[in-house]
Amino acid sequence: IQRMNLLQWQRRPRASPPNKFTFTYKTVGETEIKLDVIVDVDDVSLLVHPLPVFFFVHPGGWLESDRTQIPPYMWQGARERKWLVVSIDYRLLPQVDIIDIISDMSDAWRYVHTQLQDNLVKKGCSIQLDLTKTVIAGCSAGGALSLIGGYALHPPPNAVIDVYGPANFRSDTYNTGYQIKGCNFYLKEENYEKFYREPVSTGTPGISGEEIPIDFEITDQVPKEGDAPKRGDILALWIQQGKIVEKLIGRRTKEEGKILYVLENMTEKYPPTAIIHGTADIWVPYSDSFIVHETLDSLKVPNILVTAKGHNHIFEYFARCCD
């Protein structure tokens, strides 16, 4: 990405997706939680050396989407570098809390390090993993989880990629009610009660860079008065109520909730980090990424902040705006 602008990146010739293997890495009650391994098994050059692992955590406000929603530019970039891609599901809010989600991410990470190699062999895949070279990456809610993974995962990743992930959970943004741009009415809690009664879910239909209409705008995802309630709208409701942190932590103690506070958990041992964020983001303030950048600078942790001036949330899914 540093060698070409994002428009060139999105418009380059696209290869068809490589092979995909699916594994259940964890079972909670009757809920199976899965991950996908994406790798081109027909590329014999991948057999020469063990492959670094690119571990992706999906977006969706912790409320929706699933492991299939890895942006094409990410798996294509990993493929070009001969990395093996792992994309995970995790249990979704509001049936669980952020500690449960972090637990799922940690268990998926442990599975990759302790069981994935053997289970790939059982499926006839002889590719070897280089677990001394690992990257965790995510967009939006997944970006936040990736940042948390920088200090919560063991062994720690070698690098972190955060694409417009919320990070400054002490700020008013997540604790004081406000209106999302484009949402000119107040959502009613009772309209979303049915989603709280649903069983635990590990995936819902999400946004795909290949399926977005050319005239789509990010404000199209903002709830409109008269629309039928959608699960993902719960995030806008919590933003209006100023209850994001309260809902994320849920029933947990204050001590347990400390894991959420990215800036307070970073140390000089934090992995090198790349951050990408648009300055016109209506869902996650650009200031979150800037303060992460400043914090890492103060700790002398190698990092880069790629600023997309004038661009909104999920901007990199759109070829027409990635300039």
Side-chain angles (χ1 to χ4, degrees):
I1 291 178
Q2 291 177 342
R3 295 177 182 174
M4 63 176 79
N5 66 41
L6 285 171
L7 184 60
Q8 292 171 320
W9 178 268
Q10 287 285 48
R11 287 181 175 172
R12 65 192 171 145
R14 293 192 175 183
S16 58
N19 306 83
K20 181 169 69 176
F21 300 94
T22 299
F23 299 94
T24 297
Y25 72 83
K26 180 177 181 178
T27 302
V28 181
E30 297 181 356
T31 303
E32 293 185 344
I33 314 177
K34 301 180 184 295
L35 60 79
D36 286 341
V37 174
I38 304 171
V39 65
D40 192 347
V41 297
D42 298 322
D43 183 352
V44 294
S45 70
L46 300 184
L47 300 175
V48 177
H49 301 289
L51 305 187
V53 174
F54 183 88
F55 185 96
F56 180 75
V57 190
H58 72 74
W62 307 283
L63 286 155
E64 58 184 350
S65 192
D66 64 15
R67 67 186 186 278
T68 66
Q69 302 307 308
I70 177 170
Y73 76 89
M74 281 199 174
W75 67 254
Q76 288 185 39
R79 184 184 196 181
E80 290 173 4
R81 290 163 175 77
K82 300 187 184 302
W83 296 348
L84 179 135
V85 175
V86 175
S87 185
I88 71 166
D89 276 343
Y90 49 84
R91 287 171 290 169
L92 299 173
L93 302 175
Q95 282 69 32
V96 299
D97 58 37
I98 195 68
I99 311 300
D100 294 316
I101 294 173
I102 295 169
S103 170
D104 291 348
M105 176 178 68
S106 298
D107 287 337
W109 186 258
R110 187 176 302 109
Y111 178 92
V112 168
H113 281 77
T114 61
Q115 299 182 55
L116 181 57
Q117 182 71 80
D118 289 342
N119 288 334
L120 281 170
V121 171
K122 290 176 183 177
K123 286 185 177 280
C125 178
S126 55
I127 286 172
Q128 297 294 303
L129 310 184
D130 184 353
L131 294 171
T132 67
K133 298 176 181 177
T134 57
V135 177
I136 185 170
C139 305
S140 194
L145 290 167
S146 296
L147 288 170
I148 291 170
Y151 52 81
L153 296 178
H154 303 285
N158 297 102
V160 174
I161 300 175
D162 160 38
V163 187
Y164 46 73
N168 187 13
F169 288 103
R170 296 286 188 195
S171 73
D172 288 347
T173 300
Y174 307 103
N175 298 280
T176 303
Y178 73 97
Q179 283 282 41
I180 290 286
K181 184 178 179 181
C183 182
N184 58 2
F185 72 105
Y186 283 92
L187 305 175
K188 296 180 180 179
E189 185 105 41
E190 58 265 28
N191 291 339
Y192 299 90
E193 290 177 352
K194 65 178 181 179
F195 298 109
Y196 288 82
R197 296 192 295 269
E198 291 179 344
V200 173
S201 171
T202 61
T204 66
I207 194 165
S208 167
E210 303 288 356
E211 299 169 356
I212 298 173
I214 194 65
D215 59 347
F216 181 89
E217 299 292 344
I218 186 59
T219 50
D220 294 343
Q221 282 197 312
V222 173
K224 300 295 192 297
E225 196 162 13
D227 286 354
K230 300 187 294 295
R231 183 185 181 99
D233 295 346
I234 297 174
L235 187 64
L237 170 67
W238 292 345
I239 288 173
Q240 289 181 348
Q241 295 173 334
K243 292 184 177 180
I244 291 282
V245 171
E246 175 185 325
K247 297 296 185 179
L248 284 173
I249 294 176
R251 66 186 185 279
R252 304 293 179 159
T253 65
K254 185 176 181 180
E255 186 66 24
E256 290 174 308
K258 287 182 178 179
I259 197 170
L260 178 64
Y261 296 103
V262 172
L263 304 175
E264 297 164 26
N265 281 284
M266 287 178 162
T267 69
E268 66 279 355
K269 295 182 179 180
Y270 195 82
T273 301
I275 313 157
I276 305 171
H277 208 141
T279 58
D281 196 325
I282 64 173
W283 285 98
V284 179
Y286 172 77
S287 58
D288 274 34
S289 289
F290 189 77
I291 196 170
V292 169
H293 169 60
E294 286 193 319
T295 300
L296 293 173
D297 272 355
S298 70
L299 294 167
K300 295 182 169 52
V301 173
N303 74 96
I304 180 172
L305 172 59
V306 180
T307 299
K309 293 183 179 179
H311 290 315
N312 211 321
H313 208 60
I314 66 169
F315 72 92
E316 87 285 13
Y317 279 82
F318 311 112
R320 73 182 190 283
C321 76
C322 294
D323 54 358

